[in-house]
Amino acid sequence: MTPFLCSLARTYYRNFGSRVSDFTFVFPNRRAGRFFVKYLAEVASGPIFSPRIISIADLFGELAELQTADRIRQLFVLYRCYCKVSGSNETFDQFIFWGEMLLNDFDDVDKSMADARQVFRNIQDLRQLDADLSYLSEEQIDAIRRFWTNFLPISPTDDAKQSFLEIWEVLHLLYTDFRDCLRSEGWGYEGMIFRDVAELAKRSELSLEGYERLVFVGLNGQSKAEEALLTYARKQGIADFYWDYASPLVRDDDNPASLFVKNNETKFPSEFDISAEDEITPVQKPVVEAIGIPSFVGQAKQVYTLLDELVKQGELKDNHLVPNTAIVLADENLLLPTLYSIPTEIEKINVTMGYGLANSSVVALLYQLAEVQKNFRTVNGELGVYFRFVLPILSHNQVVKSVGKLADDLRRDILKNNRLVVPVSQLSASPLLQLIFTPLTDSEQIPNVLKKILQSLYQSVSYQKMEDESDTTDARSADIEQEFIVQCYRAVNRIADTMRELEVQVQVDVFFKLLKKLISNISVSFEGEPLSGLQVMGVLETRALDFDNLILLSMNEGVFPSKRGANSFIPYNLRRGFGLPTYEFQDSIFAYHFYRLISRAKRITMLYDTRADKGGEISRYFHQIKYLYSKHFDICERIVVYQVETKENQYIEVQKTPEVMAKLQDFLQGGKRSLSASAINQYLDCPLQFYFGRVCNLSVDEELTDKVEANVFGSIYHYVMENLYKRLEKKTVTADALKALSTDSKKVQLLVKEGFAKYYFKTEKVRDLSGQLLLIAKIIEKYVYQTLKQDQKHTPFVYVRSEEEFDELYLLPSGAEVKLKGFIDRVDEKDDTTRIIDYKTGTGELSFRSVSELFDMENGKRPKAVLQVFLYALMYARRYPTARIAPSIYFLRNIFKSDFSFNIEDKGAEKGAERVIDFEKYKSDFQEFLNNCLGEIFSPDVPFRQTVTGKACAWCEFTEICRK
């Protein structure tokens, strides 16, 4: 099949020969023009000069007297005009949303050559229209009335609706004044420029001198302004037109793609018939394959398989004169995954669509900086930034490259000291960080600071490039990063220059909104082979081009065709009545792009995402091909299913090699580490977890949170209880003494604040609490008061001490001496019995059936708290052999219950459940099982194995390693 542009090149060269060099060819975009020149060079019998190639937008720009103003300038000028004609004191930030809608509507009105006075009639006139609609159909009347009631379904007193109504009242005046302001400065928006040229053409005042012949190629769905220029050029006898309407699918009257066919062929006929050259009837039916993939990026990965197959079939050879394969992306976010999926055998690649600047890492940093500006706060008289907006910046690759180890040191310090609000003074350790965390107050300061930040980043990348000059890949990556930084710098400069020129002041957040808007329209082009190799492009870049092999990605309904519609002040029926673009127009354009694109292809592969939350439905175009045009294609469908096999996890055990035994030696005499009761419990829960966490000392990265975690809650409670009882140490505690403590609310509140300072804020400075922290503080106070209330029931008793520490050597039968450590929360005496009390902020078991149960690794409900307090009792008994010890546990979750008890019960006793009031009865058995457990830990013959019950996996940090 002969490509459309190739047919045109042959026809024109056959009829004009080398004279074709004097003509101007007008295409939908410049990419199509490059392909045309390539085809022309192939058909020419000898060297010729290239004809002039321009896009339709370029032609209007050449014929107009005005320059196109960028979007930012347009918004500023429009806002200035709006304030003048309406007398409104609305801020630019409030206006910007309406401004975007207005610019779109003004552009549509001008390109459609509509009567602006009629379209932008004020709201009172439109309400009169609502009262007398006799000239409209019932359907149109209902649509207009629904518009007024549903456009803004909010209260009439709402400020946003009032602004909407005010804008309606001045629309035409605003439209006129806006155009006059731009024109006085030599600027215009695209629709305005198109209208100026079209009106000159209608009055026959447009000069086309210098254009010997204008050949319009591959256009479709042109606006009224474009039609006016084409009509005028035809009347001047210098225009020729070629429409790519050869496909029977495009010409089908029932296909939306045919909407403009008859009008264009009638008004703008071709001088030459290229149908003989442009033969699109295939020898074989084109193959259309739809492939569903339950993944966004999975589509890009499937590209590798498809391209690899084409390479093996010889479809992607370098000696092809013109590219014959294209990857078309309906969603530009798939560009990078697609590029990474191209086989290495394909050396020549041309990316037409460019890469959006908004997706670059430097822009992400600017957006994070915008969040910083919104989150400065003053704590205790010092300016700081909330940690959630600091940590991403300190981890950003550009910042890390620039400030080096300092960023990591700051991050670690913030995490270690739980700095929820990080002082700005601490974040000024380097010039770059000082700039990033500088509070911006006015619109003149913003661009200067941003440009300094970008300059610093650019210099850092340049330095890195010099360091890695031997690595070609890193050098290319650095070049791309530098280009992104340069484009950002230009964007900031453009906004600053426009603001300065128009004498506009904006708030900080508005400046960043404008920057985001400007950046969203900037793309950085990739270098490639423009006219050879594999082509990667967007949908609009395919206009007038033909390929044998097409791979279409994101062929989901709502993506291709797009379901996104522009916001507008103008309701649908008025748009239709005045000839402005409607969704039917958009639907026709998309349909034409699709059916024209596939008309000459041999193989069309459509990839789409099957996930329900992503739409899951293939584009309507495939269904149309399948059910309406099936005779034209060989159609097949398949779903790519990922092979997910549920293999039994491999059992993991760590043998105690000499290296492992050397690490264990650190817990024995002469070592620097000790085993605690929680470590022993961890071993009994899962020996492998014990190995990772205790022996290898592994842990996940520390995270900073503004929530009060359970361990912090417990530490604060322990701190308060210890310091409340400290004044009663070695004294007899009476009920009156405890009542006195309970009534000293100021003392309790102060201790709670001190506990927060020590364990939450990790500072010595006590501060007032607010919000969620104040609520947590009140809960801790309630637990403290209830503990004192429960203790009153058991007075009198002698308070011995709190937080008694032990760190001692424990002799095993093997002769090894293990270092054991722990903190006993509280020791008191009553009736010649010493109570060893352990506070637990959660809940748990107070009973056990046998000492062996405490060490049973196969028991998922093993009473771990009892084991811990028994170990404390054993160590206390070693210090005080004559003491009668009663281990006890305060489970705070139960402390408000009427039947609250701290006594441990032996449910395996011969006479039924009995309280443990003398540890001596259990000491021997406990010591025997403890010896066996510790002996197993240090035995070279017993490996560290995975948990038996699996219960420990629920909170284990190492599940990604063992995958139990």
Side-chain angles (χ1 to χ4, degrees):
M1 292 173 288
T2 307
F4 168 65
L5 295 180
C6 183
S7 300
L8 179 65
R10 287 177 181 174
T11 300
Y12 252 76
Y13 187 76
R14 184 171 58 247
N15 286 279
F16 295 101
S18 61
R19 280 191 58 212
V20 75
S21 302
D22 300 326
F23 303 156
T24 300
F25 289 82
V26 184
F27 295 90
N29 55 38
R30 294 176 186 175
R31 173 66 49 184
R34 283 191 177 186
F35 274 71
F36 174 75
V37 170
K38 177 72 172 179
Y39 289 123
L40 187 61
E42 290 176 16
V43 301
S45 56
I48 61 170
F49 287 104
S50 172
R52 187 149 183 265
I53 304 296
I54 60 174
S55 69
I56 184 69
D58 291 337
L59 179 60
F60 273 92
E62 290 179 359
L63 296 172
E65 297 178 354
L66 303 174
Q67 293 183 356
T68 304
D70 63 48
R71 196 72 165 182
I72 303 302
R73 177 181 291 273
Q74 292 177 37
L75 280 170
F76 279 134
V77 173
L78 182 64
Y79 172 66
R80 193 170 60 185
C81 294
Y82 170 70
C83 292
K84 183 174 71 174
V85 301
S86 69
S88 172
N89 59 356
E90 189 173 0
T91 65
F92 183 79
D93 186 24
Q94 295 169 319
F95 172 79
I96 193 169
F97 172 73
W98 311 111
E100 282 289 328
M101 292 173 62
L102 286 169
L103 290 178
N104 292 334
D105 285 343
F106 290 174
D107 195 68
D108 285 344
V109 166
D110 282 344
K111 286 183 177 178
S112 301
M113 303 293 288
D115 185 333
R117 183 177 294 278
Q118 293 297 322
V119 175
F120 293 132
R121 180 175 300 187
N122 64 42
I123 191 68
Q124 287 85 358
D125 293 336
L126 285 168
R127 288 199 177 277
Q128 286 180 354
L129 180 69
D130 194 12
D132 181 15
L133 303 173
S134 57
Y135 62 95
L136 295 175
S137 68
E138 284 298 322
E139 181 183 356
Q140 291 172 324
I141 293 171
D142 288 343
I144 288 177
R145 284 178 174 159
R146 280 198 306 271
F147 171 77
W148 299 122
T149 56
N150 296 330
F151 187 87
L152 282 178
I154 49 182
S155 168
T157 59
D158 189 277
D159 291 341
K161 186 166 187 176
Q162 186 60 37
S163 299
F164 169 71
L165 300 178
E166 289 174 0
I167 291 175
W168 262 105
E169 293 174 358
V170 297
L171 274 179
H172 182 257
L173 183 59
L174 178 58
Y175 165 82
T176 305
D177 194 60
F178 176 54
R179 285 166 53 89
D180 290 343
C181 286
L182 285 177
R183 192 181 302 279
S184 66
E185 298 172 355
W187 297 102
Y189 52 89
E190 189 173 78
M192 178 179 170
I193 291 172
F194 276 39
R195 186 168 197 149
D196 282 2
V197 172
E199 288 178 345
L200 287 173
K202 281 191 168 186
R203 297 195 301 266
S204 299
E205 297 174 5
L206 181 65
S207 172
L208 293 178
E209 186 178 349
Y211 300 99
E212 181 176 334
R213 176 182 283 253
L214 286 167
V215 186
F216 296 91
V217 182
L219 304 180
N220 182 66
Q222 58 272 12
S223 65
K224 295 285 180 58
E226 290 170 318
E227 280 201 3
L229 175 60
L230 268 60
T231 302
Y232 179 71
R234 185 187 176 203
K235 287 180 180 179
Q236 297 298 307
I238 63 168
D240 195 5
F241 311 91
Y242 293 92
W243 312 96
D244 192 0
Y245 295 152
S247 169
L249 278 59
V250 171
R251 304 185 74 87
D252 181 3
D253 291 340
D254 294 327
N255 191 329
S258 67
L259 183 63
F260 304 101
V261 172
K262 291 179 180 177
N263 177 71
N264 287 335
E265 289 186 331
T266 303
K267 287 186 176 181
F268 311 107
S270 305
E271 182 174 341
F272 304 105
D273 182 9
I274 66 170
S275 58
E277 298 279 358
D278 186 19
E279 180 59 54
I280 70 166
T281 304
V283 177
Q284 289 183 311
K285 289 182 180 181
V287 175
V288 175
E289 183 179 23
I291 303 177
I293 303 172
S295 166
F296 178 73
V297 177
Q299 297 177 70
K301 300 304 177 186
Q302 186 67 22
V303 167
Y304 176 88
T305 303
L306 298 171
L307 291 178
D308 188 54
E309 184 180 338
L310 290 174
V311 170
K312 291 175 181 176
Q313 294 173 358
E315 291 285 331
L316 279 167
K317 293 180 179 178
D318 289 341
N319 59 5
H320 283 151
L321 296 175
V322 179
N324 67 344
T325 302
I327 299 173
V328 181
L329 305 178
D331 186 341
E332 68 173 16
N333 292 318
L334 272 175
L335 177 58
L336 285 186
T338 299
L339 292 180
Y340 285 123
S341 301
I342 295 174
T344 54
E345 293 87 347
I346 302 175
E347 296 181 356
K348 294 183 178 179
I349 303 169
N350 179 49
V351 183
T352 306
M353 58 194 300
Y355 185 68
L357 181 60
N359 298 321
S360 65
S361 63
V362 65
V363 170
L365 178 61
L366 293 181
Y367 293 166
Q368 289 168 353
L369 195 153
E371 291 300 314
V372 167
Q373 293 302 315
K374 292 188 289 186
N375 286 279
F376 281 106
R377 56 184 70 181
T378 302
V379 177
N380 296 326
E382 188 172 14
L383 187 67
V385 185
Y386 191 50
F387 78 96
R388 292 194 186 278
F389 305 100
V390 175
L391 295 180
I393 289 180
L394 295 179
S395 302
H396 192 279
N397 65 318
Q398 299 274 10
V399 174
V400 171
K401 287 179 183 177
S402 181
V403 304
K405 186 174 178 294
L406 176 61
D408 188 56
D409 290 343
L410 281 172
R411 188 180 65 84
R412 290 180 181 278
D413 180 73
I414 292 168
L415 294 173
K416 179 182 177 182
N417 296 296
N418 208 45
R419 300 190 191 280
L420 298 181
V421 178
V422 187
V424 170
S425 58
Q426 185 183 359
L427 296 170
S428 303
S430 81
L432 175 62
L433 292 178
Q434 186 174 13
L435 287 168
I436 290 174
F437 294 104
T438 296
L440 304 176
T441 54
D442 60 71
S443 55
E444 290 185 4
Q445 183 189 16
I446 305 168
N448 292 332
V449 170
L450 289 183
K451 286 192 287 186
K452 287 179 181 177
I453 291 172
L454 292 168
Q455 286 171 349
S456 177
L457 295 177
Y458 188 91
Q459 291 169 0
S460 175
V461 174
S462 299
Y463 178 76
Q464 288 288 331
K465 191 164 66 170
M466 286 178 6
E467 292 267 303
D468 304 328
E469 57 183 5
S470 59
D471 193 323
T472 326
T473 304
D474 286 349
R476 287 176 184 169
S477 176
D479 288 339
I480 293 174
E481 285 185 3
Q482 284 184 318
E483 181 61 25
F484 287 149
I485 294 170
V486 168
Q487 292 293 342
C488 288
Y489 189 93
R490 289 174 179 169
V492 172
N493 238 358
R494 195 183 310 172
I495 297 176
D497 291 345
T498 305
M499 288 170 51
R500 193 179 307 110
E501 183 180 340
L502 299 177
E503 299 179 348
V504 176
Q505 300 288 320
V506 298
Q507 296 176 344
V508 175
D509 59 333
V510 177
F511 186 95
F512 280 106
K513 285 182 183 177
L514 293 172
L515 182 62
K516 188 173 185 178
K517 188 173 297 296
L518 186 58
I519 284 173
S520 67
N521 295 320
I522 298 175
S523 63
V524 177
S525 299
F526 287 83
E527 292 183 1
E529 299 288 342
L531 295 169
S532 63
L534 177 67
Q535 303 289 301
V536 182
M537 53 182 58
V539 175
L540 294 181
E541 283 76 24
T542 66
R543 288 176 291 182
L545 303 181
D546 297 299
F547 302 93
D548 290 341
N549 307 302
L550 288 169
I551 301 174
L552 312 177
L553 278 70
S554 299
M555 285 299 294
N556 282 77
E557 184 66 22
V559 181
F560 191 14
S562 172
K563 66 179 179 182
R564 290 174 293 182
N567 290 322
S568 173
F569 282 94
I570 308 170
Y572 168 77
N573 277 340
L574 292 184
R575 278 185 162 272
R576 189 165 184 177
F578 284 103
L580 274 62
T582 60
Y583 68 82
E584 292 97 342
F585 178 89
Q586 189 74 9
D587 191 37
S588 172
I589 294 296
F590 269 98
Y592 173 75
H593 288 329
F594 175 75
Y595 283 104
R596 190 220 62 78
L597 176 63
I598 69 170
S599 63
R600 298 176 183 83
K602 296 177 182 177
R603 180 185 309 196
I604 304 118
T605 306
M606 303 181 187
L607 306 178
Y608 68 100
D609 194 335
T610 60
R611 293 176 297 170
D613 60 331
K614 302 300 180 183
E617 183 181 352
I618 194 170
S619 169
R620 71 186 74 164
Y621 299 143
F622 177 75
H623 292 303
Q624 291 168 4
I625 288 174
K626 182 177 180 180
Y627 297 110
L628 300 178
Y629 305 121
S630 58
K631 67 179 182 180
H632 297 278
F633 303 93
D634 281 334
I635 302 171
C636 57
E637 301 177 67
R638 62 187 172 99
I639 301 292
V640 174
V641 180
Y642 296 116
Q643 296 297 322
V644 180
E645 298 181 6
T646 55
K647 295 181 179 178
E648 185 177 348
N649 288 331
Q650 184 178 359
Y651 184 76
I652 299 175
E653 64 179 27
V654 177
Q655 298 295 329
K656 291 178 181 172
T657 63
E659 291 79 12
V660 174
M661 292 303 297
K663 291 181 179 179
L664 286 170
Q665 190 69 33
D666 210 25
F667 293 99
L668 300 178
Q669 184 182 21
K672 298 179 180 179
R673 303 170 66 189
S674 303
L675 290 178
S676 63
S678 60
I680 295 171
N681 269 322
Q682 186 179 38
Y683 177 81
L684 293 170
D685 285 340
C686 177
L688 188 63
Q689 187 187 87
F690 172 86
Y691 169 73
F692 288 138
R694 306 290 177 164
V695 181
C696 297
N697 209 23
L698 299 179
S699 63
V700 295
D701 289 339
E702 186 178 1
E703 290 186 5
L704 182 57
T705 176
D706 49 4
K707 296 180 181 179
V708 179
E709 301 292 350
N711 61 329
V712 176
F713 184 98
S715 296
I716 297 172
Y717 170 84
H718 281 68
Y719 177 85
V720 176
M721 293 305 303
E722 176 189 359
N723 285 278
L724 271 180
Y725 270 112
K726 188 173 287 186
R727 68 179 74 173
L728 300 175
E729 191 170 308
K730 303 292 177 64
K731 297 179 181 178
T732 299
V733 179
T734 62
D736 290 339
L738 294 181
K739 285 180 182 178
L741 288 179
S742 298
T743 56
D744 193 355
S745 59
K746 289 186 179 180
K747 176 66 174 177
V748 173
Q749 290 171 6
L750 177 61
L751 288 175
V752 170
K753 290 179 182 178
E754 289 176 357
F756 268 94
K758 183 175 182 179
Y759 297 105
Y760 183 77
F761 297 112
K762 297 182 180 179
T763 178
E764 295 180 358
K765 191 174 183 179
V766 177
R767 64 182 71 174
D768 289 332
L769 305 176
S770 61
Q772 185 186 39
L773 299 185
L774 182 59
L775 292 176
I776 300 297
K778 293 300 179 185
I779 292 172
I780 293 174
E781 289 174 22
K782 286 186 177 181
Y783 277 128
V784 169
Y785 293 138
Q786 186 65 16
T787 304
L788 295 174
K789 186 176 180 181
Q790 292 290 354
D791 282 347
Q792 289 177 37
K793 299 177 182 179
H794 304 283
T795 55
F797 59 84
V798 176
Y799 181 79
V800 180
R801 69 184 63 84
S802 290
E803 298 297 318
E804 176 159 334
E805 180 182 4
F806 63 85
D807 192 348
E808 302 173 5
L809 291 173
Y810 180 81
L811 181 64
L812 296 179
S814 64
E817 290 186 286
V818 183
K819 295 179 67 178
L820 297 180
K821 69 174 181 179
F823 287 90
I824 301 173
D825 291 338
R826 171 174 147 190
V827 180
D828 60 33
E829 294 177 355
K830 180 177 175 64
D831 299 332
D832 298 325
T833 299
T834 300
R835 292 192 304 175
I836 302 296
I837 297 174
D838 194 40
Y839 296 128
K840 295 292 183 187
T841 53
T843 186
E845 284 292 326
L846 275 170
S847 63
F848 67 101
R849 294 188 176 277
S850 65
V851 174
S852 63
E853 183 187 21
L854 304 181
F855 294 86
D856 186 0
M857 301 175 76
E858 297 184 4
N859 184 358
K861 296 182 178 180
R862 185 174 57 82
K864 293 182 282 188
V866 175
L867 183 147
Q868 181 171 342
V869 77
F870 268 30
L871 179 64
Y872 293 168
L874 175 65
M875 302 309 293
Y876 194 86
R878 285 160 56 89
R879 286 187 180 180
Y880 307 98
T882 61
R884 186 169 185 257
I885 302 171
S888 308
I889 304 173
Y890 276 50
F891 283 117
L892 297 188
R893 293 283 181 88
N894 301 331
I895 205 166
F896 287 95
K897 294 181 179 180
S898 58
D899 60 347
F900 170 76
S901 173
F902 50 78
N903 296 306
I904 297 173
E905 286 189 342
D906 178 5
K907 289 190 175 181
E910 294 179 2
K911 297 181 181 180
E914 63 179 37
R915 291 168 47 196
V916 178
I917 58 175
D918 188 356
F919 176 69
E920 185 66 29
K921 179 179 178 180
Y922 304 91
K923 178 180 174 182
S924 177
D925 286 347
F926 182 82
Q927 199 160 353
E928 179 184 348
F929 282 102
L930 177 64
N931 290 342
N932 292 338
C933 177
L934 294 176
E936 187 177 290
I937 291 175
F938 293 94
S939 171
D941 301 324
V942 182
F944 292 112
R945 300 185 175 94
Q946 289 173 300
T947 176
V948 178
T949 65
K951 191 170 182 180
C953 300
W955 60 87
C956 180
E957 299 175 339
F958 312 109
T959 50
E960 289 299 315
I961 300 176
C962 77
R963 299 185 182 276
K964 171 70 175 177

